[in-house]
Amino acid sequence: MKDERDNILQIKKVNKEFTIEGNTLQILKDINLDIKDGEFVSIVGASGCGKSTLLKMIIGLHSITGGEIVVAEGKNGNSATRIGIAFQEARLLPWFTVFENIEFGITKALSKAERKEQVERLIELVGLKGFEKAYPRQLSGGMQQRVSIARALVADPDILLLDEPFGALDALTRINMQNEILEIWKKKKKTMILVTHDIDEAIFLSDKIVVLSSRPGEIKRIVEVKDSRPRDRSSSNFVYVKKKIFKEFFDETDIDVEYYI
């Protein structure tokens, strides 16, 4: 069935180069990608292929060397407030409480009562009710990441970028956080773009997975995941999709993909 949703983000022939000590290093090459409103998209690839750089160009933290990134007219105001980002490190202000760290992300002129209501609603959403007055040092890694995600959502962005947000967590906490972000995605209906090294994570969460080649990063393949959610990681289709993605990583080697599945 054809997806009738509009594109919220279009990446057109995007290139990125860095100049290091007079030498030009190409990071990304001819990236073309359309992302629809409300989609969950993951980007996977080897370290150094430009995954995180692409996210930073989308939000404007890095300039574009060539091509263009077009963000559609959004539901919530201008582009400066329509894209949020959560990084691998929670990057919380240690002298602020949970409530204050989330409130810090509000960009609109709101009354004190409106700010309080908005922050409390997000604290409830990420499962941190009762920890409003806690400081980052009093929280586990997973709880800190929940605060970071809530802070990224508090400005009500249309697009949420997730740059390896669970990479530093233990395996069990990571799975719990994957379930949490999936629930947030369902409830908030945001477009989410995740950079991850975890293939299982990408398949569990995504509508489609973008596989980048080694540097310079080019799109090797876009894999659609059509299974209904929640997904069974041991199902035959889950394993089939996993094999397709692993094949893109190992297609130029003699490594047996079956060994890794």
Side-chain angles (χ1 to χ4, degrees), residues 45-226:
S47 294
C49 72
K51 302 184 298 296
S52 295
T53 299
L54 183 57
L55 289 197
K56 289 172 183 174
M57 287 195 295
I58 291 170
I59 202 170
L61 295 176
H62 280 332
S63 61
I64 301 168
T65 305
E68 62 177 339
I69 295 175
V70 180
V71 182
E73 289 298 320
K75 302 181 284 291
N76 304 311
N78 62 47
S79 59
T81 61
R82 286 193 291 109
I83 304 177
I85 189 166
F87 296 97
Q88 181 171 350
E89 309 84 15
R91 301 189 182 186
L92 304 180
L93 299 172
W95 54 87
F96 276 5
T97 63
V98 165
F99 185 99
E100 291 166 337
N101 265 288
I102 297 171
E103 185 183 33
F104 188 73
I106 295 176
T107 56
K108 295 179 181 178
L110 301 175
S111 68
K112 186 175 180 180
E114 288 172 328
R115 295 170 76 91
K116 185 173 186 290
E117 180 185 1
Q118 196 159 324
V119 174
E120 286 179 344
R121 187 168 63 247
L122 278 167
I123 286 173
E124 180 86 33
L125 181 69
V126 299
L128 287 175
K129 191 169 178 59
F131 289 90
E132 293 88 346
K133 295 182 179 180
Y135 289 92
R137 66 179 180 276
Q138 297 171 312
L139 305 176
S140 68
M143 293 168 79
Q144 289 182 26
Q145 279 300 75
R146 292 183 190 195
V147 178
S148 177
I149 290 166
R151 183 177 59 191
L153 286 168
V154 77
D156 198 20
D158 294 324
I159 302 170
L160 179 62
L161 308 179
L162 301 162
D163 190 4
E164 282 277 4
F166 316 136
L169 304 178
D170 65 84
L172 183 58
T173 303
R174 185 168 189 146
I175 289 172
N176 287 335
M177 287 300 299
Q178 291 166 10
N179 288 320
E180 292 285 347
I181 204 68
L182 194 57
E183 285 303 307
I184 291 169
W185 175 75
K186 288 177 182 176
K187 290 175 182 176
K188 300 294 284 183
K189 296 179 172 57
K190 302 293 182 187
T191 304
M192 294 194 181
I193 307 172
L194 169 72
V195 160
T196 181
H197 286 94
D198 188 325
I199 304 302
D200 283 52
E201 180 171 272
I203 300 168
F204 182 75
L205 293 171
S206 307
D207 295 307
K208 65 186 179 189
I209 300 165
V210 179
V211 183
L212 293 185
S213 66
S214 298
R215 191 175 67 242
E218 298 180 79
I219 295 178
K220 294 185 72 176
R221 185 169 188 173
I222 296 176
V223 179
E224 293 191 9
V225 188
K226 298 184 181 295

Side-chain angles (χ1 to χ4, degrees), residues 44-46 196-204 209-214 220-223 225 233 237-261:
V44 300
T196 181
H197 286 94
D198 188 325
I199 304 302
D200 283 52
E201 180 171 272
I203 300 168
F204 182 75
I209 300 165
V210 179
V211 183
L212 293 185
S213 66
S214 298
K220 294 185 72 176
R221 185 169 188 173
I222 296 176
V223 179
V225 188
R233 298 170 196 257
N237 197 56
F238 196 101
V239 174
Y240 171 72
V241 173
K242 189 173 178 179
K243 285 181 180 179
K244 281 204 296 187
I245 295 170
F246 266 77
K247 187 176 184 299
E248 296 300 329
F249 287 110
F250 298 132
D251 61 356
E252 297 177 0
T253 73
D254 295 326
I255 295 174
D256 183 3
V257 171
E258 298 290 337
Y259 178 81
Y260 290 88
I261 305 300

